Coordinates of all heavy atoms in Angstrom, one line a residue:
R28 N 11.1 -52.2 5.3 CA 12.5 -52.1 5.3 C 13.0 -50.7 4.7 O 13.9 -50.6 3.9 CB 13.2 -53.2 4.5 CG 13.0 -54.6 5.1 CD 13.7 -55.6 4.3 NE 13.5 -56.9 4.9 CZ 14.1 -58.1 4.5 NH1 14.8 -58.0 3.4 NH2 13.8 -59.2 5.1
L29 N 12.2 -49.7 5.1 CA 12.5 -48.3 4.7 C 13.0 -47.5 5.9 O 12.7 -47.9 7.1 CB 11.3 -47.6 4.1 CG 10.7 -48.2 2.8 CD1 9.4 -47.4 2.5 CD2 11.7 -48.0 1.7
N30 N 13.8 -46.5 5.7 CA 14.2 -45.6 6.8 C 12.9 -44.9 7.3 O 12.1 -44.5 6.6 CB 15.2 -44.6 6.2 CG 15.8 -43.8 7.3 OD1 15.2 -43.0 8.1 ND2 17.1 -43.9 7.5
P31 N 12.8 -44.8 8.7 CA 11.6 -44.1 9.2 C 11.4 -42.7 8.7 O 10.3 -42.2 8.7 CB 11.9 -44.1 10.7 CG 12.8 -45.3 10.9 CD 13.7 -45.4 9.7
I32 N 12.5 -42.0 8.3 CA 12.4 -40.7 7.8 C 11.4 -40.7 6.6 O 10.6 -39.8 6.5 CB 13.8 -40.1 7.4 CG1 14.6 -40.0 8.6 CG2 13.6 -38.8 6.6 CD1 16.1 -39.6 8.3
V33 N 11.5 -41.7 5.7 CA 10.7 -41.7 4.6 C 9.2 -41.9 5.0 O 8.3 -41.3 4.5 CB 11.1 -42.9 3.7 CG1 10.1 -43.1 2.5 CG2 12.5 -42.8 3.2
G34 N 9.0 -42.7 6.0 CA 7.6 -42.9 6.5 C 7.0 -41.6 7.1 O 5.9 -41.3 6.9
Y35 N 7.8 -40.9 7.9 CA 7.3 -39.6 8.5 C 7.0 -38.6 7.4 O 5.9 -38.0 7.4 CB 8.4 -39.1 9.4 CG 8.6 -39.9 10.7 CD1 9.9 -40.1 11.2 CD2 7.5 -40.5 11.4 CE1 10.1 -40.9 12.3 CE2 7.8 -41.2 12.5 CZ 9.0 -41.4 13.0 OH 9.3 -42.2 14.1
I36 N 7.9 -38.4 6.4 CA 7.6 -37.4 5.4 C 6.4 -37.9 4.5 O 5.6 -37.1 4.1 CB 8.9 -37.2 4.5 CG1 10.0 -36.7 5.4 CG2 8.6 -36.3 3.3 CD1 11.3 -36.4 4.6
G37 N 6.3 -39.2 4.3 CA 5.2 -39.7 3.5 C 3.9 -39.5 4.3 O 2.9 -39.2 3.6
L38 N 3.9 -39.6 5.6 CA 2.7 -39.4 6.4 C 2.3 -37.9 6.2 O 1.1 -37.6 6.0 CB 3.0 -39.7 7.8 CG 1.9 -39.2 8.9 CD1 0.6 -39.9 8.6 CD2 2.4 -39.5 10.3
G39 N 3.3 -37.0 6.3 CA 3.0 -35.6 6.2 C 2.4 -35.2 4.8 O 1.4 -34.5 4.7
L40 N 3.0 -35.8 3.8 CA 2.5 -35.6 2.4 C 1.0 -36.2 2.3 O 0.2 -35.5 1.6 CB 3.4 -36.3 1.4 CG 2.9 -36.2 -0.1 CD1 2.8 -34.8 -0.5 CD2 4.0 -36.9 -1.0
G41 N 0.8 -37.3 2.9 CA -0.6 -37.9 2.8 C -1.6 -37.0 3.5 O -2.7 -36.8 3.0
L42 N -1.2 -36.4 4.6 CA -2.1 -35.5 5.3 C -2.4 -34.3 4.5 O -3.5 -33.8 4.4 CB -1.6 -35.2 6.7 CG -1.5 -36.3 7.7 CD1 -0.8 -35.9 9.0 CD2 -2.9 -36.8 8.1
A43 N -1.3 -33.8 3.9 CA -1.4 -32.6 3.1 C -2.3 -32.9 1.8 O -3.1 -32.0 1.4 CB -0.1 -32.1 2.6
S44 N -2.2 -34.0 1.3 CA -3.0 -34.4 0.1 C -4.5 -34.5 0.5 O -5.4 -34.3 -0.4 CB -2.6 -35.8 -0.4 OG -1.2 -35.7 -0.8
L45 N -4.8 -34.8 1.8 CA -6.2 -34.8 2.2 C -6.7 -33.5 2.7 O -7.8 -33.4 3.2 CB -6.3 -35.8 3.4 CG -6.0 -37.3 3.1 CD1 -6.0 -38.1 4.4 CD2 -7.0 -37.9 2.1
G46 N -5.9 -32.4 2.5 CA -6.3 -31.1 2.8 C -6.2 -30.8 4.3 O -6.9 -29.9 4.8
L47 N -5.4 -31.6 5.0 CA -5.3 -31.4 6.5 C -4.1 -30.7 7.0 O -3.8 -30.7 8.2 CB -5.4 -32.8 7.1 CG -6.6 -33.7 6.9 CD1 -6.5 -35.1 7.5 CD2 -7.9 -33.0 7.4
A48 N -3.3 -30.1 6.0 CA -2.1 -29.5 6.4 C -2.3 -28.4 7.5 O -1.5 -28.2 8.4 CB -1.3 -28.9 5.2
K49 N -3.3 -27.6 7.2 CA -3.6 -26.4 8.2 C -4.0 -26.9 9.5 O -3.7 -26.2 10.5 CB -4.6 -25.5 7.6 CG -4.2 -24.7 6.3 CD -5.3 -23.8 5.9 CE -4.8 -23.0 4.7 NZ -5.8 -22.0 4.2
D50 N -4.6 -28.1 9.6 CA -5.0 -28.6 10.9 C -3.8 -29.0 11.8 O -3.9 -29.1 13.0 CB -5.9 -29.9 10.7 CG -7.2 -29.5 10.0 OD1 -7.6 -28.4 10.1 OD2 -7.8 -30.4 9.4
F51 N -2.6 -29.2 11.2 CA -1.4 -29.6 11.9 C -0.3 -28.5 11.8 O 0.9 -28.9 12.0 CB -0.9 -30.9 11.4 CG -1.9 -32.0 11.6 CD1 -2.7 -32.5 10.5 CD2 -2.1 -32.7 12.8 CE1 -3.6 -33.5 10.7 CE2 -3.0 -33.7 13.0 CZ -3.8 -34.1 11.9
S52 N -0.7 -27.3 11.5 CA 0.3 -26.2 11.4 C 0.3 -25.3 12.5 O 0.8 -24.1 12.4 CB 0.1 -25.5 10.1 OG -1.2 -24.9 10.1
G53 N -0.2 -25.7 13.7 CA -0.3 -24.8 14.9 C 1.1 -24.6 15.5 O 2.1 -25.2 15.2
P54 N 1.2 -23.7 16.4 CA 2.4 -23.3 17.1 C 3.0 -24.5 17.9 O 4.3 -24.6 18.0 CB 2.1 -22.1 18.0 CG 0.6 -22.2 18.2 CD 0.1 -22.8 16.9
L55 N 2.2 -25.3 18.5 CA 2.7 -26.4 19.3 C 3.5 -27.4 18.4 O 4.6 -27.8 18.8 CB 1.6 -27.1 20.1 CG 2.0 -28.3 20.9 CD1 3.0 -27.9 22.0 CD2 0.8 -29.0 21.5
V56 N 2.9 -27.8 17.3 CA 3.6 -28.8 16.4 C 4.8 -28.1 15.9 O 5.9 -28.8 15.8 CB 2.6 -29.2 15.3 CG1 3.4 -30.0 14.2 CG2 1.4 -30.0 15.8
A57 N 4.8 -26.9 15.5 CA 6.0 -26.2 15.0 C 7.1 -26.1 16.0 O 8.3 -26.3 15.7 CB 5.6 -24.8 14.5
A58 N 6.7 -25.8 17.3 CA 7.7 -25.8 18.4 C 8.3 -27.1 18.6 O 9.5 -27.3 18.8 CB 7.0 -25.2 19.6
M59 N 7.5 -28.2 18.6 CA 8.0 -29.6 18.8 C 9.0 -30.0 17.7 O 10.0 -30.6 17.9 CB 6.9 -30.5 18.9 CG 6.0 -30.3 20.2 SD 4.6 -31.4 20.3 CE 5.4 -32.9 20.9
A60 N 8.6 -29.6 16.4 CA 9.5 -29.9 15.3 C 10.8 -29.1 15.4 O 11.9 -29.7 15.2 CB 8.8 -29.5 14.0
E61 N 10.8 -27.9 15.8 CA 12.0 -27.1 16.0 C 12.8 -27.7 17.1 O 14.1 -27.8 17.1 CB 11.7 -25.7 16.3 CG 12.9 -24.7 16.4 CD 13.5 -24.5 15.0 OE1 12.8 -24.5 14.0 OE2 14.8 -24.5 15.0
A62 N 12.2 -28.1 18.2 CA 12.9 -28.7 19.3 C 13.6 -30.0 18.9 O 14.7 -30.3 19.4 CB 11.9 -29.0 20.5
G63 N 13.0 -30.8 18.0 CA 13.6 -32.0 17.5 C 15.0 -31.7 16.9 O 16.0 -32.4 17.1
V64 N 15.0 -30.7 16.0 CA 16.2 -30.3 15.4 C 17.2 -29.8 16.4 O 18.5 -30.0 16.3 CB 16.0 -29.2 14.3 CG1 17.3 -28.9 13.6 CG2 15.0 -29.8 13.2
M65 N 16.8 -29.0 17.4 CA 17.7 -28.5 18.4 C 18.3 -29.7 19.2 O 19.5 -29.7 19.5 CB 16.9 -27.6 19.3 CG 16.5 -26.3 18.7 SD 15.4 -25.3 19.8 CE 16.5 -25.0 21.2
F66 N 17.5 -30.7 19.6 CA 18.0 -31.8 20.3 C 19.0 -32.6 19.5 O 20.0 -33.1 20.0 CB 16.9 -32.7 20.8 CG 16.1 -32.2 21.9 CD1 14.7 -32.3 21.9 CD2 16.6 -31.5 23.0 CE1 13.9 -31.8 22.9 CE2 15.9 -31.0 24.0 CZ 14.5 -31.2 24.0
L67 N 18.8 -32.6 18.2 CA 19.7 -33.3 17.2 C 21.0 -32.6 17.2 O 22.1 -33.2 17.3 CB 19.1 -33.4 15.8 CG 19.9 -34.1 14.8 CD1 19.9 -35.6 15.0 CD2 19.4 -33.8 13.4

């Protein structure tokens, strides 16, 4: 019963805690994240 935003940010923090942040910091992921804000 949480807002999905909390789940998404928690997922990112969990991946960063495992030392995987750089594995998901490529241009494709960054472009898709920027596109999400643009569509919003």
Side-chain angles (χ1 to χ4, degrees):
R28 296 184 178 181
L29 296 174
N30 190 296
I32 294 173
V33 177
Y35 293 137
I36 296 178
L38 170 61
L40 176 58
L42 292 173
S44 301
L45 296 174
L47 300 175
K49 291 184 178 179
D50 296 336
F51 298 100
S52 58
L55 178 60
V56 173
M59 295 177 76
E61 187 68 37
V64 181
M65 290 172 63
F66 287 139
L67 181 73

